[in-house]
Every structure is written in structure tokens, then in C-alpha cells.
Amino acid sequence: MAPTLNHPTGVTFVEEHSSRPINVDAATYYGGGETYSRSRTYSHSHIHGYNPKRLPAFQEDWHLRPRRMSHDEKSVTGPRRFLIDVEETIRVVLEQEDTDGDFQISVTDAGPKMMALGTATSNGFKTFDIRGTYMLSNLLQELALARDHNRKRIVLDEARLTENPVDRLSRMIKNSFWHSLTRRIDGDGLEIITADPKNRTGRVNPRIYVPHGEPAMVEYYKKVAREKPHMNLDVQVLPEKPDDPVFVKSLNSKPGILALAMNEVDDGQGGKTLKGIPFIVPGARFNELYNWDSYFIALGLLVDGQVSMAKGMVDHFIFEIKHYGKILNGSRSYYLCRTQPPFLTDMALQIYNQLDRSDLESNRQWLKRAIQAAIKEYHTIWVAEPRMDPKTGLSRYRPDGLGIPPETEATHFTHILEPFAAKHGISVLEFSEKYNDGIIKEPDLDEYFLHDRAVRESGHDTTYRFEKRCANLGTIDLQSLLYKYEVDIGTAIREVFDDELELDEDFPLAPFPPSVEAYANSYRESSRSRLQTSEEWFERADFRRDMIDKYLWNENKGLYFDYDTVQEKQILYESVTSFWPLWAGCASEEQCWNLVTQSLRKFEVLGGVVSGTEESRGKISLDRPNRQWDYPYAWPPHQIMIWVGLERYGYLEEAQRLAYRFLYMMTTAFVDFNGVVPEKFDAVKLSHLVDAEYGNQGIDFKMVPREGFGWMNSAYQVGLSFLTTHMRRAVAACTSPEVFFGSVSTAEVALMNTNLPDTDPLGLAMEALKVSG
């Protein structure tokens, strides 16, 4: 009679995994207990531990491995599973495969890309080789996730290692990345949200600024400070006008997070307390609520069914407009003077259309608050001076502010400041301090930083398109967004509010139509009606479209260009934002045809559309380095805007082709580089290894990607909605766009990859590493 097998109580046996879900989130997959085998045919000594008959070979011995299957089970009747000791396997994987020591398995690592794992049905005695970068990097990721759930020993389904990469990335975004990027400003979330990688003051203790007129919020945070003395939380109350440039500059030495919207909830003891409304941050060094990032993030959240999260972000924007005067660039004290590209109306309307229909009146009241906030922002920011140019009727990115932006990298402006410091015979550091304090006056430097702040407000920081002139430009992107504001507001008033919307808050209304005389004489008059109708807003939209056609459209070149309101001429920098009028709907059918047939090819490259053309960017040198919003870089907002715009005008095939290109680039990076999802790409080289300015974000992680990057996550989820089933399968197989769309044959692509190493992902990665090293 065989000896009795004694297992710990409450264990799970291998065969009990037969029906468990496989491609699910880590908490579901690894949330159970340890797993054991019922096997009686192997040594009893291995029941409670992982001790495979043959240890994974590596280093000099890898070539001695038998051929695949020669040492494995001869027949597999069901899905293959592996019995794995988590910590030991992590050690072996990193020792064998992570040859560059970055805790990631990528195509640039020089390991054998092969490892034997013990099968679960044999209790680890029989082994099977897993091979290739993708499977091994997935193994490392799964082991890290198992460790997160305190698992010492797991049964791992092979299907998690070979999972379709499109399905895997989309699942990780939906089930993991959004959760990791979620923040809340309250007693429970302050320690995470107050961490600021951009803070160079040396003070790391958290500080929160609460707006004027919120006494309950002030008391709440002071109570948090008392109850959590270890945080050393500094609670400050802002003045009634918190965006005064002199005041904002005074906060440079004491930066802090800005309070956002909160809900009143039960405290569990019969009373009430406040709770922060959750929101999504971009990720990496950007650990706060951002303006235009949030719009694109919201699009991804809506695809993934997270309507409540997206709605909460609009609530924060309503709060910011009420208390800070604008939707801020970001929710930190050093952003109080500037905003970013306006997307609030489209964001609110898309969310409104997906709200639960069980309470229509509540939904209507929510949209009313959002539209009223957008109207206030429109009148007090975008068509108010100094952003409005009354002569042309064009709006500009032109924020207030004084001194050097404190959130930039320490050496970002060194090349600008050095000549001025030399002029005064002092160091750059001393000059910076005296300039910021107003001791040294330099009008030329004031002008430079006026435009620099405008570049940052534009969201395109930085680009040679805006160099030393941004504050004077009526850009095509801003005019398109404001046209969309005007149409959206008019449409909402007509369709949702019975063509009448009374403004609840008192603020100055800008004159219309705009003119120098109107702004000089009547801008502050309060006699204008507070009752809003759709007619005025549609008139504003028609006027803006006419001004766009007059000042920004170039018939000969088939493109829109920015207009310099000071020099009174178009700036002939070719920007992919020329396609934003398609998203907004302000281009004519003929203008759209010209854009698609004449100009699209200027921006379309292997990995999608680039920010601008190489010709417009100009030559790059040591004295003129590349900028991250220029050629050859591709960013998620530009991709999404052009996809939606082309689809709106009936060019679905073109939209699908561009979406395929971008998602192919994302998927190959995900497969080849341990699941990376970065902030941006070099779309010409198909590389996330970007050396422009501060490099790339979202790439510095250990073993498993935790967050991706906000708007890149959304681009993937939104982009998938454009692809057919066939296209999705081709992306999952990493089929080059050139092959898929038939512009060249498979053999020609293989030949190009042989003759031109800069089209090969491994060659590109190695080249980039050499350059950066």
C-alpha cells in the first residue's frame, strides 16, 4: 500500500485549476492559496517544495539543451501548466537573461532566451522550454505579480506566457494600469499625491494649498495633519485671487499640491466627513491632475467602461474653474498662472452620453454645471485679454507669470541664462536668483519667458514651431478647440436646456464680435444678458471659422498654419495639428480633401503621424538639439485627433491605416521591451528610446510595468476601436504596416531589414543604447 501523502490544510491541488480563468487580472489569478500535486509516483521529498530534476541551464551551458520536446511529456491532453518557486525562478531569470541589469527582459539582452520550467502535472520533474523575449519577459512579469500577492509557489498557465499581446496589453491597461494611476486628494491619498518628482527645493514634507472660500476643506486637512503627525503636512489657504503672478512666484520656494473637489460622505460614526474624488494622473514624473492629458485619458476610460472615474475628472475641472479661475496646466502651485488646450465641452458631452439613464435630471444638472464652467472659462480666459487678440479675433496661448518656470529640470535653461550671467559677471545660479527676485532687469529675458510659458500652456513643450514666438501666435490647434467649444455649448443649450441657459455665477462677458474698440470700451460692461441661447454660440463659431479661413488656411499649400498676430503673417511650420479642424468640424469638404490628398503624406511615417515635418524642424546639431514635439516624435493626442477627424469626414480607411501604424509600434515595443508603454515614440525608428530633452517617461520600472502612461494607454484602447478583426490579428502578430497594406512585399521588407539596420527594432535599440552610453 502506497504511503499516505500529507499536505498542509486548505491547499489547492493542480487538477483543481482545470477550469480556472487564465487571462484575468493578477489579484484574481494569484489571489488563492498555494498549489500542490496529488502525485504518488515521484519522491515524497518534493511535495512541499520546487526541486526540478533538471535545473535551468544558462550561460555557457545553454547550447547543450536538447531539442524542444525531447525531455518533456510526450503528450499533452490539456493546457500546459508550470509548477514554479517564485523567488528562485526570479533569481534564475534575472541571472540568466537580464544581461544589462535593468530588471527587464528585452531584445537588447544577450541571454539565451530559453529556460526550462517544470510541468505541474509531473510535480516539476518533467520540464518544458519556454523561449523568446516575449515569453521570458511575460514570465518575469508574472513572477513579480505573484510576489506582489505574497505567493511563494504558483501553478502558472503557459497561456499567460503566450497570451495574444494585443489582448494582454489591453487587459493590463483596463485591469491594472488605470488602477495604479488612480490618485485621491484626502487623508488616505495625500502621501502618494504629494510626492512631486519635479520639486527641486529640497523640502520633501507635503504641503497642500486649499482655495479661499472652502472652510470645511481647510478644517478637514488640518484635522488630517493632527491625526497623522508623521506626515508633517503643511496646510495653507490661498488668497481670493490665487493666480496673481507676484503671489505665484512667491510660492516657488514652497511648492505644494492644490486641493481638488471632494464629496461629503458618512464617516461611519453617525457624522459626515469629506472624501476626495478619484482621478487619473499621467504617470512617472507627472503625479498630479493635468488638463489636456485628462481629456485623452477620459477617452480611454470611457472605452473601458470607467464612466464614473471620467466624470470625477470633469468635477475637478469645474472646481478648478470656480476656485483657481481656469482649468490648470496641472494641480500644483507653480501651475496657478497657466492652463492648457481646452477640451472640457467635448469631454463633458461624451461622458454625459454614457451616464446611467436612470436619473436623467441629475445627469442634466451635472452637464449644466460643466457647460456653465466652460462658458466662464471661455469668457474669462480664452476670449479675454491678453490671450485674445482683438484685431484678428484669434485667441492665443499667453499666460501670466514671472521669472523662470520652477518645475523644469535644473539645467533646462542654462544655455539661455549663461550669456546674461556672463554679461553681469556672475554665475548662472546667482543670476537666476537675482533675476527671479527682480534685482536684475532683463527685458529680453522677460520676452523669452513670456513665450516659454506660452509653449508650456500649449501642451507642446517644446518645439521649434513655437520658439521665441508662441505668445504671439493664433495657433490652428487652439482655434479648432475653441470652435468646438462654441459649437458644443450651442448644441448643449439647444438640445439639452431648451435653448436657454441662465448663468449662475457672475463674471465679465467678452464682447462679440471682437474688435479693438469693443474690447477697449465695453468689455467690462455688465449690462449684457446672463441668459445664454444657442444662437449667439453658433454665431461665435461661424465667426471663428471665418477667421480661421482668413488667417490660417493656406490654399496653395493645402494646410493650416499658425498666424503671428504681431508680425501679421502666417508661420509656415508644417504641424500635424493642421488636421485638428477635422476633429472640430470647422474644415470644409474641399479643405479636408486637400489635407488628405496633399498633406497627409508629409506627416505619415511607419509608426503613425509625426508632430511636424523634418523640413520645418530644420537641421539638428549639438547647438540645436532635437525637441520632443518635433519630427520624428509621435504623441498619442495627435494620433487620436487625426483618427477621429478623418473618420468624421468619411475617411475611415485612412483613419484605420494610421491607427494600425501606431498600434503596431506600441505592440512591438510591448513585445520586445518587457511590456513597456511610454509617453511618446520616435515613429520613424519605431523606438521608445528617446533622447530629446528629458527623455521618455513610463519606461523606468522593475520586472513588470505598473502604470504604462496615461494618454498612451488611452491611445491603445481607442485605437483598437478603429481596427477590424483582421487588423487586430495582424497587429498581434506584429505584422509591419508595409506588409499589411501591401506597399512592399514580405521579401522586400526582409531585404530592407537586412540592408538597413535602422529599421530593425533590435538594431535600433542597440544603436540608441550606444548613443546614450
Side-chain angles (χ1 to χ4, degrees), residues 336-351:
L336 278 165
C337 280
R338 64 177 191 257
T339 180
Q340 270 191 330
F343 284 92
L344 177 57
T345 56
D346 189 75
M347 185 176 177
L349 287 170
Q350 293 215 36
I351 294 166

Side-chain angles (χ1 to χ4, degrees), residues 384-614:
E385 294 179 302
R387 289 177 178 84
M388 165 61 81
D389 175 50
K391 185 175 182 179
T392 60
L394 300 176
S395 298
R396 305 168 295 186
Y397 296 113
R398 199 177 177 92
D400 290 328
L402 294 171
I404 303 169
E407 78 278 7
T408 56
E409 300 76 21
T411 59
H412 185 82
F413 295 110
T414 299
H415 67 293
I416 298 296
L417 299 176
E418 279 177 341
F420 292 96
K423 171 184 171 182
H424 291 273
I426 54 179
S427 69
V428 171
L429 178 60
E430 184 180 356
F431 173 81
S432 300
E433 293 173 349
K434 291 185 175 181
Y435 173 72
N436 275 339
D437 292 340
I439 299 173
I440 293 179
K441 306 291 185 182
E442 286 289 352
D444 290 343
L445 201 54
D446 295 343
E447 178 79 6
Y448 173 86
F449 282 117
L450 166 67
H451 295 301
D452 180 83
R453 286 188 293 273
V455 172
R456 298 177 191 284
E457 184 167 83
S458 78
H460 293 75
D461 44 328
T462 63
T463 164
Y464 288 113
R465 170 190 173 197
F466 291 156
E467 183 84 353
K468 299 179 181 180
R469 61 190 178 199
C470 186
N472 296 336
L473 300 182
T475 68
I476 182 55
D477 28 303
L478 181 55
Q479 312 317 311
S480 300
L481 297 179
L482 292 177
Y483 173 86
K484 187 68 160 56
Y485 252 46
E486 291 153 351
V487 171
D488 286 347
I489 293 171
T491 301
I493 292 173
R494 183 184 65 194
E495 302 296 331
V496 183
F497 305 115
D498 300 322
D499 213 21
E500 287 188 356
L501 179 65
E502 186 76 28
L503 297 178
D504 294 340
E505 191 176 347
D506 187 27
F507 52 83
L509 299 176
F512 180 78
S515 67
V516 175
E517 294 76 16
Y519 272 76
N521 299 327
S522 63
Y523 177 66
R524 294 299 175 182
E525 291 182 4
S526 58
S527 58
R528 303 187 65 230
S529 173
R530 315 299 296 178
L531 186 66
Q532 301 289 293
T533 64
S534 62
E535 182 181 5
E536 177 189 341
W537 288 98
F538 291 138
E539 287 178 356
R540 285 180 176 274
D542 290 342
F543 175 83
R544 188 174 298 276
R545 183 178 55 210
D546 291 343
M547 295 305 100
I548 290 173
D549 289 343
K550 177 179 179 180
Y551 292 109
L552 280 71
W553 174 249
N554 190 308
E555 185 69 29
N556 293 332
K557 294 184 179 294
L559 268 178
Y560 292 96
F561 292 97
D562 302 330
Y563 184 81
D564 191 317
T565 59
V566 174
Q567 297 186 19
E568 298 186 340
K569 67 175 185 179
Q570 287 185 350
I571 301 298
L572 301 181
Y573 182 107
E574 296 171 325
S575 169
V576 76
T577 58
S578 294
F579 287 82
W580 286 25
L582 305 187
W583 175 87
C586 59
S588 67
E589 294 291 338
E590 182 181 358
Q591 287 170 325
C592 178
W593 169 255
N594 287 331
L595 284 167
V596 174
T597 58
Q598 294 183 38
S599 301
L600 180 57
R601 62 178 178 268
K602 296 180 179 181
F603 304 96
E604 184 175 357
V605 297
L606 187 58
V609 291
V610 289
S611 301
T613 62
E614 185 174 17

